[in-house]
Amino acid sequence: MKVLVTGSSGLIGSETVQHFDALGHEIFGVDNNMRREFFGPAGDTLWNLERLKGSTKRFAHFALDIRDRAAIDELFRSHCFGLIVHCAAQPSHDKARDIPLLDFEVNALGTLNLLEAARQHCREAVFVFMSTNKVYGDAPNEIPMKELATRYDYARPEDYDGIDETCRIDRTLHSLFGASKAAADLVAQEYGRYFNMNVGVFRGGCLTGPSHSGVELHGFLSYLARVALSGGTYNVYGYKGKQVRDNIHGSDVVRAIEEFAANPRPGEVYNIGGGRQNSVSILEAIARIEALTQRKFEWRYVDEARKGDHICYISNLAKFKRHYPNWQITRGIDAILEEIVISQRSQPAHSTA
Ligand SMILES: NC(=O)c1ccc[n+]([C@@H]2O[C@H](COP(=O)([O-])OP(=O)(O)OC[C@H]3O[C@@H](n4cnc5c(N)ncnc54)[C@H](O)[C@@H]3O)[C@@H](O)[C@H]2O)c1
């Protein structure tokens, strides 16, 4: 099968390339290294592209821009894809406020370009769109919380397993990023429901792993480990550092994509994150990284929360597990952190500026 992966030099894209290449498929990667344009040299993904070129068998890379409709159309005209995994994005909540037009063009219009090219040229293909929990805006913050020693948590027992897909997506503060992704999320659902195409929408929690080019504005654990190893200072914004994220290794995301691709359900939406077992607050993540690296690192508290930041976000994975019972989380939070630290130790030093 021909598999198209957009954002192929990024965290999830590169994991997807490796996984489907190892299964013997022919992989087409689209990535124009725009992460460097968004975040500067620390966001450069070329090291990951080189790594992929050296470790895959049937991987071809195209430095195309998903905003370029004619080029995308031409790619689809030339190749009949059986699976499309769309990971290219402007991925940062905070960055979007500086570049609202670019953010919308990449996230919303770029997604529509791909969906429409798929409809025109390979409408039987499975199309997985990587969406985000930011489509819920800050509605998850309305859930009653309790403050514990190192984290916030849900106060009511019925919320214990986290946020499910019934959470509303409108009448809430998203950030421009959340809004552009919500636009793409709705359009992707429509290609599933209206055109009956095999489109699945995965709303990610914190996706992570050693292939992330982590920067302050995106890539929580990867950036945290990078600062710890480089001796820089980490800024903690608001909520006393007790805000909670659920972290999922990229390989578990890709296994979910594989399950969906084998049995697609047109237009379905799934929350995909690490779930409660892989949830940590920033304070807890700092403590775990200090224990792993055996050294204290500098962090400073900025008493202003990021606008629209989630106080406690845990993905409820029940729907995905019900539809795809073969899938489960295989990497726990400690294993993930250890892998990130080991991998960053072996990489050339990056600036954390
Ligand atoms: N990492 C997370 O915590 C997280 C959480 C929720 C959702 N997501 C979503 O998952 C997807 C993948 O995230 P990631 O962490 O792998 O991001 P990433 O930034 O590591 O990878 C995205 C890749 O897309 C490329 N790209 C950006 N704009 C492009 C364009 N116009 N044309 C071609 N390539 C372009 C970038 O160069 C980058 O390599 C994104 O849609 C993101 O919004 C990520």
Side-chain angles (χ1 to χ4, degrees):
M1 171 168 73
K2 290 188 178 185
V3 178
L4 173 65
V5 181
T6 72
S8 51
S9 309
L11 168 73
I12 299 303
S14 62
E15 288 271 1
T16 308
V17 168
Q18 276 188 301
H19 185 81
F20 285 94
D21 177 81
L23 293 177
H25 299 293
E26 192 179 350
I27 318 294
F28 295 73
V30 165
D31 199 307
N32 63 353
N33 198 23
M34 210 158 166
R35 189 171 171 95
R36 182 187 168 99
E37 184 177 329
F38 298 140
F39 306 120
D44 197 309
T45 57
L46 290 180
W47 67 275
N48 206 18
L49 173 60
E50 289 311 312
R51 188 182 64 80
L52 283 181
K53 282 181 179 166
S55 61
T56 49
K57 293 191 193 75
R58 303 176 75 197
F59 167 58
H61 173 250
F62 300 81
L64 298 179
D65 190 325
I66 60 165
R67 292 172 301 165
D68 185 344
R69 192 175 304 156
I72 292 298
D73 190 73
E74 183 53 37
L75 182 69
F76 276 77
R77 198 182 289 277
S78 312
H79 302 282
C80 180
F81 299 116
L83 171 63
I84 298 141
V85 184
H86 174 32
C87 309
Q90 189 300 102
S92 164
H93 182 82
D94 296 313
K95 181 70 190 173
R97 72 171 161 238
D98 303 329
I99 50 168
L101 292 173
L102 191 54
D103 174 81
F104 197 85
E105 283 170 3
V106 172
N107 288 350
L109 205 54
T111 300
L112 182 55
N113 286 341
L114 289 157
L115 286 163
E116 183 56 16
R119 186 171 80 93
Q120 294 298 333
H121 303 294
C122 53
R123 60 172 303 144
E124 300 306 317
V126 174
F127 190 116
V128 174
F129 168 55
M130 289 308 301
S131 183
T132 168
N133 60 15
K134 293 291 190 301
V135 302
Y136 299 124
D138 62 1
N141 290 353
E142 294 163 9
I143 295 174
M145 305 272 173
K146 59 184 175 193
E147 185 179 346
L148 304 177
T150 58
R151 64 160 70 192
Y152 285 103
D153 206 337
Y154 305 126
R156 301 179 304 201
E158 63 265 37
D159 297 320
Y160 183 81
D161 289 331
I163 311 293
D164 70 19
E165 297 80 359
T166 61
C167 183
R168 76 174 194 282
I169 70 163
D170 69 343
R171 292 162 291 121
T172 165
L173 178 83
H174 289 88
S175 82
L176 272 302
F177 162 75
S180 66
K181 292 293 278 192
D185 182 305
L186 287 178
V187 167
Q189 286 186 56
E190 220 52 42
Y191 273 70
R193 289 166 188 261
Y194 191 92
F195 292 127
N196 202 31
M197 286 169 60
N198 290 318
V199 179
V201 174
F202 286 19
R203 294 179 174 161
C206 252
L207 319 181
T208 192
S211 317
H212 225 178
S213 307
V215 291
E216 182 172 21
L217 290 177
H218 186 245
F220 163 46
L221 291 182
S222 164
Y223 180 70
L224 195 61
R226 182 178 288 191
V227 174
L229 292 174
S230 69
T233 303
Y234 186 85
N235 293 325
V236 175
Y237 295 98
Y239 298 123
K240 307 178 194 169
K242 295 185 179 184
Q243 54 274 62
V244 170
R245 301 285 176 268
D246 67 326
N247 301 277
I248 179 170
H249 193 286
S251 64
D252 282 336
V253 177
V254 175
R255 273 282 304 124
I257 292 170
E258 186 182 13
E259 286 290 318
F260 181 86
N263 282 300
R265 290 169 168 253
E268 280 292 359
V269 170
Y270 299 103
N271 288 350
I272 293 288
R276 178 164 284 275
Q277 69 185 91
N278 274 9
S279 67
V280 280
S281 70
I282 298 186
L283 292 184
E284 291 162 357
I286 288 174
R288 282 174 191 237
I289 287 193
E290 283 184 339
L292 261 175
T293 56
Q294 303 263 297
R295 67 187 222 206
K296 289 257 168 221
F297 76 91
E298 293 287 316
W299 60 276
R300 86 187 165 97
Y301 184 65
V302 182
D303 197 10
E304 192 184 349
R306 293 158 65 224
K307 210 168 178 178
D309 200 20
H310 288 148
I311 301 171
C312 175
Y313 190 92
I314 294 176
S315 309
N316 186 323
L317 304 173
K319 180 179 174 187
F320 193 82
K321 285 182 173 170
R322 201 166 58 247
H323 288 186
Y324 300 99
N326 288 333
W327 180 85
Q328 59 183 359
I329 295 285
T330 64
R331 311 265 185 115
I333 186 73
D334 287 325
I336 292 174
L337 283 172
E338 206 176 317
E339 198 183 334
I340 292 176
V341 167
I342 290 171
S343 136
Q344 293 207 359
R345 275 200 173 119
S346 66
Q347 280 173 33
H350 289 275
S351 156
T352 53

